[in-house]
Amino acid sequence: MKKARVELLRELTEVNGVPGFESRVAEIMRRHVEDIAEVTSDGLGSLIATMEGASERPRVMLAGHMDEIGFMVKLITDEGFIRFAPLGGWWDQVLLGQRVIIETRTGEVTGVIGAKAPHLLPADERNKVVAKDAMFIDVGARDKKQAADKFGVRPGDPIVPWSPFTVMADPDRLLAKAWDGRGGLALGIEALQAFKRKRHPNTLCAVGTVQEEVGLRGATTSAEAVHPDVAIVLETGIAGDVPGIKPEESDVKLGGGVALYVLEGSAIPNMRLRDLAIDLCEDSKLDYQLTVLMGGGTDAGRIHLHARGVPSLVLGVPTRHIHSHAGIISGKDYETTLKLIIALCEALDEETVAGLRP
């Protein structure tokens, strides 16, 4: 993988941006596209980079979300511990003992989600999952006054997982937080950059949406701003190639190519757009995996319902361990997904997009 691409992925995954606090992510996206596209935003903070090609229409929306799952400070106990509320879907079992960063008005405060020592656990508690509501963050404060007045912590402060970007022993494998959805955001940025010196038969709108993890909110408002004729939502694919996951739950594999959603929890893809993507993969010998995800949803859930309806498709980079402190992707899968996005952007001319509709 090219060094510039690795550094883009490092930059986007290491920046902090939980739902409602995506401004620093937006700054990075803006910096990478403002010299090649017209950059605007909607009222919630989604960033829209518009690049006109050979025609004003069709408008092709490439949507990747800027937010990552995290938490918010709920209250500070008298003893100086932090109770928190989740922002996005967290599985309780992945939380205990993990390091986090609280972003306060005076700077970052490091903490750890407290875990009771096994020596103190009675037998009846050892196999129980601790609920998030019972957890706390230890920032090393002596009491509430020190946490609030000295450290600057207050209710409403965002809390982000601490997980540095890492190239693993196999350099094709990349470990980081926030692949969901910074991987998709990177794809949107690189797709625009690919057309810096070549024509495309449409207008491309790469959008970094906000608050996807708490209800697809930025997708709703940014679709109103873009008014797309067709949408490609750039996401993760949930990799099932680890112990404990059955093929019927997910047969997506790292190294198996782009994950092409034939069904997901919030949208059924446009069948003609889906088939176009499959044909392009086969014509160009791009590895692809068809996948179904019944739980959760993506920005397609709102975009495909915009106005009179928008033909939409979700593409994902296969990712292990999503919605935890760190996930793993394959650089090869990322590059395959980017090639498919570029091919789709080249193919979606006015006639082709008109043919997607009933």
Side-chain angles (χ1 to χ4, degrees), residues 98-149:
Q98 297 286 353
R99 287 175 64 170
V100 296
I101 300 294
I102 302 176
E103 298 187 304
T104 78
R105 62 191 183 278
T106 57
E108 294 185 347
V109 173
T110 300
V112 61
I113 300 177
K116 188 182 290 187
H119 313 71
L120 305 179
L121 287 173
D124 63 340
E125 286 188 26
R126 289 179 183 174
N127 294 320
K128 290 182 179 179
V129 176
V130 180
K132 287 186 290 290
D133 291 346
M135 295 181 191
F136 60 90
I137 295 171
D138 188 344
V139 294
R142 301 182 184 190
D143 51 30
K144 181 175 183 178
K145 180 176 176 59
Q146 186 182 42
D149 296 346

Side-chain angles (χ1 to χ4, degrees), residues 30-336:
R30 178 186 293 274
R31 176 161 46 80
H32 282 282
V33 300
E34 62 185 355
D35 64 330
I36 57 174
E38 178 187 1
V39 181
T40 58
S41 62
D42 67 15
L44 285 189
S46 297
L47 202 73
I48 303 164
T50 303
M51 175 186 283
E52 188 169 331
S55 175
E56 182 182 353
R57 294 281 176 181
R59 293 174 70 83
V60 180
M61 185 175 183
L62 305 174
H65 64 93
M66 296 191 291
D67 58 321
E68 63 184 298
I69 57 170
F71 313 95
M72 180 182 284
V73 174
K74 189 175 181 180
L75 61 86
I76 308 171
T77 70
D78 291 341
E79 297 79 16
F81 298 107
I82 312 300
R83 296 289 188 182
F84 57 88
L87 294 175
W90 282 98
W91 187 33
D92 296 349
Q93 286 185 228
V94 304
L95 293 177
L96 289 179
Q98 297 286 353
R99 287 175 64 170
V100 296
I101 300 294
I102 302 176
E103 298 187 304
T104 78
R105 62 191 183 278
T106 57
E108 294 185 347
V109 173
T110 300
V112 61
I113 300 177
K116 188 182 290 187
H119 313 71
L120 305 179
L121 287 173
D124 63 340
E125 286 188 26
R126 289 179 183 174
N127 294 320
K128 290 182 179 179
V129 176
V130 180
K132 287 186 290 290
D133 291 346
M135 295 181 191
F136 60 90
I137 295 171
D138 188 344
V139 294
R142 301 182 184 190
D143 51 30
K144 181 175 183 178
K145 180 176 176 59
Q146 186 182 42
D149 296 346
K150 181 71 173 178
F151 299 170
V153 179
R154 61 182 175 182
D157 286 343
I159 306 169
V160 186
W162 180 83
S163 182
F165 176 94
T166 304
V167 178
M168 302 183 78
D170 179 341
D172 178 64
R173 303 300 202 240
L174 306 175
L175 174 74
K177 70 175 180 66
W179 287 125
D180 181 14
R182 308 283 168 69
L185 191 65
L187 288 167
I189 291 170
E190 289 214 73
L192 279 194
Q193 292 173 340
F195 289 101
K196 184 176 181 179
R197 292 184 176 83
K198 64 177 178 177
R199 298 285 279 174
H200 48 100
N202 45 45
T203 292
L204 300 177
C205 300
V207 182
T209 65
V210 297
Q211 300 187 42
E212 189 266 1
E213 296 290 359
V214 291
L216 317 180
R217 298 169 187 175
T220 304
T221 53
S222 60
E224 185 67 28
V226 171
H227 296 300
D229 298 296
V230 62
I232 305 170
V233 175
L234 311 177
E235 263 291 352
T236 58
I238 299 181
D241 58 344
V242 297
I245 297 181
K246 301 174 183 177
E248 57 267 30
E249 294 172 323
S250 173
D251 60 355
V252 173
K253 296 176 173 59
L254 258 64
V258 55
L260 199 157
Y261 281 86
V262 296
L263 176 64
E264 53 100 343
S266 64
I268 299 170
N270 177 278
M271 296 297 105
R272 294 172 183 171
L273 181 57
R274 176 204 67 186
D275 290 345
L276 173 61
I278 292 172
D279 289 343
L280 288 170
C281 284
E282 294 183 347
D283 291 345
S284 300
K285 294 182 171 51
L286 299 176
D287 292 331
Y288 68 95
Q289 308 173 77
L290 302 180
T291 186
V292 171
L293 177 65
M294 297 305 297
T298 73
D299 278 340
R302 295 292 180 268
I303 297 169
H304 86 289
L305 297 176
H306 173 69
R308 297 177 65 182
V310 179
S312 301
L313 178 67
V314 182
L315 303 178
V317 178
T319 309
R320 291 176 181 165
H321 322 304
I322 74 164
H323 281 229
S324 69
H325 267 59
I328 299 173
I329 71 165
S330 156
K332 179 183 175 183
D333 289 338
Y334 175 91
E335 291 173 341
T336 299

